[in-house]
Amino acid sequence: MLRPLIMATVAATLLAGCSGGDDKATDQPSADSGSPSASSTPTGPQLATFDPPKAFAPVSALAQGNTGLSNGSSIEAGMVGEASLYALRSGLTARTLSANSWEVPASDVPTTTTNDFTAPMAVQLNGKEVVATAYTQIVQGSGTQKAHGQVTFQWIDPTAGDVLATAVADLTTLLGPGNSGADFYPPAYDAATGQIAVGLTVSSPDRSAKLRQFSVFADPVTKKAVTIPSVRAGGVQNGVVVGLKGVGGEGVKDNAIVQVDAVSGTVKKTVPVPTMNYLNPQGSGGKHAYFGGTGYVQDTKYEHHYVNAFYAVDIATGEVVETKLPNSPDQGDGAACFSDHVSSVVCSRTLGGQEGIVGFDDTTGKLLWKYDASANRIVPDVTAIYNGLVYGLADDQAILLDAKTGQDVPTPAPSPGETPTDGSTPSDGSSPSDSTSPSSTDSSYSSGNIGGWGDTSLLSGEPKSPAMVSKYGSVYLQDPGSKAPRNTEKILVVQKAVG
């Protein structure tokens, strides 16, 4: 598919501070009604919550062993509620901040193999936050029957690991037998309803498939999945998908933005974008879908340039808002957009070797702020966004930005006692210590798991910016250090929110 850590003996605050008042909470409920207090998780001891969290303390470093599935870089970290997640081709494995563990395989059928998977998504289902994920798979044939492709969706309780809903799209009718989905584009999802729409490329070993790309829409309430041919989804809301049509390429002028009724597959609106030879989905907001485009312009016989733009598309109406970017001598590197699925979207783009960053108001799709490396600021590597707060790295230092203004959010000095120094679990002393918590011999976390809960001994290097954030904490992946067991692929660093 398709990041400062400190020693356990030092109190660390990776990210902290925010404009708009002091909302710092402690690990114990506060008697002061003017300050947020810790809230109880569905199970286990009380954990502090922050919305959004601005400071974290590492509580565990978990080693994922070799699974035999060539995961390599194909590992995603996730945090939904209090559950820290490894996402792999083999499925999801989780450990909660209250030290529960669970595992949900991508398939329990040995004859089904997984080509690709999405990173975990945090969505609502029946008023509860759940984990959503999708897999593109091949079901082996039997007898004279050819193999066929399918896309499987799961919605999972982050506390207990119960699968609350599944939906499967059989791709035989769309692609023909023997063909399947290959790689996912960035998934689009409606955080309020749990609906997912994801675009895929096509794998056709005998070249019999007549499509190069398609999308699948899935609804956890109806538990149905519907294929949408020739469309790369970029946004979904209340059963409506916004995506792209067109093959793209130098000189090609067939790209168009389409609004589709997901259940029937009917195209409701088409907006041609002929100036963009290349147009790609970049991320989904709560109200808009976002696309990045670039187009070739011949100036003279020997000279040319590229025009560039972002497009925010209102999913409900299909209305398009174009934000033009500077011209560039080349088509630039791929853009990336991050949505908090509330009201903010932040996108980065490199054009002509120059990095830039822009912020959008997702209620209107209009540009709020922007700057590039020519200004007196560093363009950060954005890693996550959560409830109006942007998390990223600048010169290998974790930073915070206000998603509405693009301004830096100050990081306060560490507070004594906020970071575990003895490897204890993050439950304020009410959970077992490292000697009684699941240890490196506990295999319930994953058949490939090496490493224990409440153990930060595998931390190495500088701390990184979170890959995903919840009100309870955050996670990121680090490469194995010298202390990691042999065959470790990645270390999942779990952090609790402390400010």
Side-chain angles (χ1 to χ4, degrees):
M1 256 261 327
L2 2 163
R3 295 173 193 165
L5 234 257
I6 56 173
M7 303 288 294
T9 56
V10 182
T13 300
L14 299 186
L15 306 168
C18 185
S19 58
D22 181 10
D23 62 353
K24 187 177 186 301
T26 65
D27 286 350
Q28 299 294 330
S30 170
D32 182 0
S33 60
S35 300
S37 63
S39 65
S40 297
T41 58
T43 60
Q46 288 183 325
L47 295 169
T49 61
F50 302 86
D51 199 6
K54 309 167 194 69
F56 303 99
V59 294
S60 193
L62 299 161
Q64 176 63 46
N66 192 309
T67 62
L69 293 174
S70 300
N71 284 297
S73 61
S74 296
I75 297 177
E76 298 282 354
M79 187 84 183
V80 179
E82 62 161 298
S84 59
L85 303 160
Y86 268 117
L88 308 159
R89 284 189 179 91
S90 56
L92 282 177
T93 55
R95 178 76 75 172
T96 71
L97 286 173
S98 52
N100 297 324
S101 64
W102 53 262
E103 181 174 359
V104 176
S107 174
D108 54 7
V109 179
T111 54
T112 298
T113 59
T114 299
N115 285 342
D116 198 8
F117 62 99
T118 66
M121 295 165 274
V123 302
Q124 295 286 318
L125 179 58
N126 298 325
K128 180 180 179 180
E129 188 175 52
V130 303
V131 185
T133 190
Y135 304 91
T136 175
Q137 299 170 323
I138 300 175
V139 180
Q140 295 178 15
S142 61
T144 61
Q145 300 300 309
K146 287 186 177 180
H148 71 271
Q150 66 181 25
V151 179
T152 299
F153 300 84
Q154 297 175 339
W155 292 265
I156 304 166
D157 182 336
T159 302
D162 297 326
V163 179
L164 305 175
T166 60
V168 180
D170 188 322
L171 304 180
T172 306
T173 301
L174 180 69
L175 302 180
N179 302 316
S180 65
D183 299 315
F184 283 119
Y185 291 100
Y189 59 96
D190 185 349
T193 66
Q195 293 176 348
I196 303 171
V198 62
L200 299 96
T201 59
V202 174
S203 173
S204 181
D206 61 1
R207 301 185 180 181
S208 62
K210 295 178 172 56
L211 298 177
R212 296 178 58 181
Q213 55 208 15
F214 65 98
S215 290
V216 182
F217 164 81
D219 188 338
V221 176
T222 64
K223 300 180 182 179
K224 292 183 178 180
V226 181
T227 58
I228 307 173
S230 303
V231 171
R232 289 173 290 158
V236 60
Q237 187 180 54
N238 295 325
V240 176
V241 171
V242 168
L244 300 174
K245 269 197 168 185
V247 298
E250 206 77 2
V252 173
K253 299 182 181 298
D254 68 343
N255 280 314
I257 296 169
V258 293
Q259 182 196 40
V260 183
D261 180 279
V263 176
S264 67
T266 304
V267 176
K268 302 168 64 176
K269 188 172 185 177
T270 300
V271 181
V273 193
T275 58
M276 296 294 151
N277 307 135
Y278 302 93
L279 198 59
N280 292 295
Q282 302 298 346
S284 171
K287 183 179 179 182
H288 291 78
Y290 291 81
F291 305 95
T294 184
Y296 177 87
V297 178
Q298 188 74 42
D299 299 315
T300 67
K301 183 178 180 180
Y302 301 106
E303 296 179 340
H304 68 273
H305 72 276
Y306 287 84
V307 293
N308 307 283
F310 280 116
Y311 297 89
V313 187
D314 189 305
I315 299 173
T317 67
E319 294 299 314
V320 179
V321 177
E322 179 184 22
T323 297
K324 293 184 178 180
L325 301 176
N327 294 343
S328 61
D330 56 40
Q331 65 185 32
D333 295 331
C337 293
F338 295 80
S339 171
D340 66 358
H341 289 267
V342 180
S343 61
S344 298
V345 172
V346 174
C347 304
S348 57
R349 182 92 183 255
T350 299
L351 298 172
Q354 181 169 284
E355 296 178 333
I357 187 170
V358 295
F360 294 95
D361 178 359
D362 191 49
T363 59
T364 64
K366 293 183 178 181
L367 180 73
L368 286 176
W369 55 269
K370 66 177 180 178
Y371 73 89
D372 56 43
S374 63
N376 294 324
R377 299 179 68 186
I378 299 169
V379 175
D381 176 13
V382 177
T383 61
I385 182 172
Y386 184 79
N387 284 3
L389 200 61
V390 181
Y391 305 82
L393 283 173
D395 278 350
D396 295 325
Q397 297 295 315
I399 58 91
L400 296 174
L401 298 179
D402 186 319
K404 291 295 186 184
T405 66
Q407 296 301 308
D408 290 285
V409 173
T411 56
S415 299
E418 285 186 343
T419 302
T421 59
D422 58 358
S424 60
T425 56
S427 48
D428 312 321
S430 52
S431 278
S433 66
D434 200 35
S435 60
T436 56
S437 297
S439 66
S440 59
T441 59
D442 177 18
S443 61
S444 61
Y445 180 71
S446 166
S447 59
N449 182 55
I450 319 162
W453 184 251
D455 176 10
T456 56
S457 64
L458 294 180
L459 296 177
S460 64
E462 294 297 321
K464 296 185 178 182
S465 180
M468 193 170 181
V469 177
S470 80
K471 63 183 179 180
Y472 293 102
S474 67
V475 291
Y476 66 84
L477 294 172
Q478 73 171 39
D479 291 329
S482 59
K483 294 183 179 180
R486 196 165 65 101
N487 294 329
T488 297
E489 295 188 42
K490 291 288 182 179
I491 303 295
L492 179 70
V493 180
V494 185
Q495 304 177 116
K496 74 170 181 178
V498 295

